[in-house]
Amino acid sequence: MKYEEIPLVNNEAIHNFELTVEGYRAFIDYKKKDDKIYLIHTEVPVELEGKGVASAIVEKTFNYIEQNNLKLVPLCVYVVSYLKRHPEWSRILAIAPGH
């Protein structure tokens, strides 16, 4: 399934980036301070597991961070593993790897 046409929602009231797929809500919990955005936790409903939703929401969130000139602080285990698989996104990190 392709998720390009599904918009990422920045629900600032509850500090979530949200993606609604097949009626289910996947989200990344975040905190923002100055120009840094801390991605804390990624959650995908069991009904959507194995469909690529987690990587879709992370990629959409990374695009949002880059387009808004923010810097990423990855605290979520899934986000960290995504960065390892997609090192090109290290360009948005607040602190360069290894520093």
Side-chain angles (χ1 to χ4, degrees):
M1 185 174 217
K2 296 288 178 209
Y3 302 107
E4 290 87 358
E5 69 283 356
I6 299 174
L8 180 74
V9 174
N10 180 4
N11 187 337
E12 293 184 61
I14 60 170
H15 309 286
N16 279 180
F17 288 110
E18 302 172 340
L19 200 61
T20 301
V21 179
E22 298 170 11
Y24 297 100
R25 177 182 165 269
F27 67 90
I28 298 178
D29 190 30
Y30 74 87
K31 294 277 185 264
K32 184 175 178 284
K33 186 174 185 208
D34 302 321
D35 70 338
K36 292 187 177 74
I37 196 147
Y38 299 77
L39 300 185
I40 299 165
H41 174 69
T42 303
E43 191 162 311
V44 174
V46 67
E47 293 86 355
L48 300 176
E49 285 179 6
K51 297 184 176 185
V53 174
S55 43
I57 193 171
V58 168
E59 185 170 340
K60 285 175 181 283
T61 299
F62 284 5
N63 279 311
Y64 174 92
I65 290 169
E66 189 167 54
Q67 289 162 8
N68 288 277
N69 297 312
L70 298 168
K71 292 294 177 186
L72 168 65
V73 180
L75 303 177
C76 167
V77 173
Y78 183 81
V79 170
V80 170
S81 71
Y82 186 93
L83 280 164
K84 286 182 180 158
R85 292 192 311 275
H86 301 275
E88 67 276 12
W89 282 109
S90 63
R91 68 183 180 266
I92 65 169
L93 286 171
I95 301 165
H99 291 78

